[in-house]
Amino acid sequence: MSDRKEKKVTARAHANIALAKYWGKRDETLNLPFFDSLSINLEDLYTETTAVWNEEDPRDALSINGWEVPAHKLGRIQKMLDTIRAKAGLEGMRCVLTSRNNFPVSTGLASSASGAAAAAVAAAASAGLSLTERELTQLARLASGSGARSIPSGWVRAYAGTEPDGSDCYASSLFPHQYWNLHVFAILVDTKPKRISSAEGMIACQKSPFWNAYMASAKMHADAAQNAIFQKDFSLLREVVHASTSQLHALAATASPSIFYISPKSLEIIEHIHRQSQAVPVCCTLDAGSNVIVICEDVVYPFVKNDIIAFGLPYIQTKVGGGTTIIN
Ligand code: DP6
């Protein structure tokens, strides 16, 4: 145990954006989704987390960009660390996680996903565990459902599974990140933390009168997205990305209480991109926030970039990225 206790490990995990959204949990404790989802990792948006196990204090600790997260707010990260502690036989030891994001947190840019993935990989390795990629996705999922998808590289599908213990719920890569040369722009409409977390939003949405209709439609999106990507057919991909996004946000508006993640400025951008997408291989999406993610094919990249500059908002330009790696 003494050599493990000083083993510092740093992992880097990329944020991901869902093309077919995860929304709704069949098990809220284990973060098991109702249906499959599909995402791409974002190369230039990442979290780096250093983990070290020691005996100095009985409590686990997490800092994010220098902010010490209060113990009662560790929430599902705590569950993930408890699982690692039990697997590695580290009872009585605590984990200290120091995390930094190179992009604004809690704005719908999926910092919870990259945070969960980086913490899972760093904490497991620092505990001396050698886990498969599938097991790492299951660990990350305990902290954040979408976090499972930031572990594998490139184009990633999360499988909902049916087992109550989540043993068949995991994520894996469908295609490597170089597979299809798409450009991604994350337009920062609002960098303030979001008011309603995804977990709360999902619960409120289950009270919408349209929940069953939403489920019936949304569970088809991962297959449709996978098929579009397999064929590299951008118009099919655009169709499913727009359906998945619009259905989630329309459902949120009918939740109890109503949730409006989209701001007037996001709507202006969405309307513009939807109009363009009739003639040009471009599409857009939002997670549970007001920032808009625009995706386009290489051939129209300069044209789309000019449009984005014209919105006059800060943006991050990136491509499809790799999986979580140990960097130190
Ligand atoms: C809209 O993974 O943040 O971004 O499992 O409660 O941590 P928890 O939720 P989270 O939800 C992500 C929702 C989404 C869609 C997606 O990424 O698939």
Side-chain angles (χ1 to χ4, degrees):
M1 202 186 273
S2 54
D3 57 332
R4 277 183 199 166
K5 101 177 152 184
E6 296 308 331
K7 192 173 161 194
K8 261 193 187 180
V9 177
T10 303
R12 176 185 288 183
H14 300 274
N16 69 68
I17 180 77
L19 306 177
K21 311 285 181 199
Y22 143 56
W23 197 248
K25 305 181 192 193
R26 64 182 169 92
D27 184 312
E28 277 161 26
T29 313
L30 295 173
N31 271 346
L32 303 177
F34 276 119
F35 46 80
D36 294 9
S37 59
L38 194 154
S39 60
I40 46 176
N41 287 336
L42 303 178
E43 182 63 21
D44 299 285
L45 284 79
Y46 54 81
T47 301
E48 285 178 359
T49 300
T50 302
V52 64
W53 292 82
N54 64 39
E55 286 163 315
E56 285 160 22
D57 189 308
R59 290 160 306 176
D60 295 317
L62 166 66
S63 75
I64 302 174
N65 293 348
W67 172 63
E68 295 294 332
V69 178
H72 70 278
K73 287 201 163 171
L74 280 183
R76 294 170 309 174
I77 284 272
Q78 182 69 68
K79 195 177 303 156
M80 185 185 83
L81 293 177
D82 289 344
T83 306
I84 295 174
R85 196 175 352 259
K87 270 187 202 282
L90 293 180
E91 283 78 12
M93 295 186 74
R94 65 122 176 209
C95 185
V96 181
L97 294 168
T98 312
S99 184
R100 292 213 162 264
N101 297 291
N102 76 336
F103 62 97
V105 294
S106 293
T107 56
L109 285 181
S111 60
S112 69
S114 51
V121 169
S126 141
L129 290 177
S130 126
L131 301 178
T132 61
E133 181 179 270
R134 175 177 167 139
E135 289 169 325
L136 288 168
T137 71
Q138 293 176 320
L139 263 186
R141 190 200 71 227
L142 291 175
S144 169
S146 56
R149 297 191 313 244
S150 281
I151 300 271
S153 179
W155 306 74
V156 179
R157 180 160 179 159
Y159 298 90
T162 53
E163 294 296 336
D165 66 357
S167 51
D168 58 351
C169 176
Y170 67 100
S172 72
S173 181
L174 296 171
F175 303 100
H177 61 105
Q178 314 88 333
Y179 170 75
W180 191 1
N181 186 19
L182 299 185
H183 297 264
V184 181
F185 301 87
I187 306 176
L188 306 177
V189 174
D190 184 357
T191 51
K192 287 195 289 296
K194 63 189 177 205
R195 283 185 298 263
I196 302 155
S197 72
S198 303
E200 290 167 312
M202 291 181 202
I203 292 170
C205 280
Q206 289 183 47
K207 295 189 205 131
S208 160
F210 303 110
W211 173 252
N212 287 336
Y214 170 76
M215 278 268 285
S217 175
K219 69 180 186 201
M220 323 283 271
H221 291 155
D223 276 351
Q226 182 169 339
N227 178 42
I229 297 160
F230 178 70
Q231 296 186 50
K232 292 194 182 162
D233 183 329
F234 199 91
S235 70
L236 278 182
L237 184 65
R238 175 205 62 194
E239 229 171 81
V240 62
V241 168
H242 287 177
S244 177
T245 309
S246 304
Q247 288 173 22
L248 190 159
H249 288 276
L251 181 77
T254 65
S256 181
S258 295
I259 304 167
F260 301 102
Y261 289 116
I262 297 183
S263 71
K265 187 70 191 174
S266 342
L267 197 55
E268 191 187 314
I269 300 170
I270 295 166
E271 280 182 323
H272 180 84
I273 299 291
H274 277 231
R275 250 194 327 274
Q276 294 287 15
S277 75
Q278 298 306 314
V280 167
V282 63
C283 67
C284 65
T285 184
L286 299 85
D287 276 344
S290 57
N291 295 317
V292 184
I293 311 292
V294 176
I295 304 168
C296 72
E297 280 205 285
D298 193 45
V299 58
V300 291
Y301 157 70
F303 170 79
V304 170
K305 183 166 176 165
N306 279 342
D307 257 17
I308 284 169
I309 293 169
F311 291 130
L313 291 167
Y315 65 90
I316 303 167
Q317 185 181 333
T318 188
K319 292 203 158 205
V320 182
T324 305
T325 49
I326 291 177
I327 57 171
N328 220 327

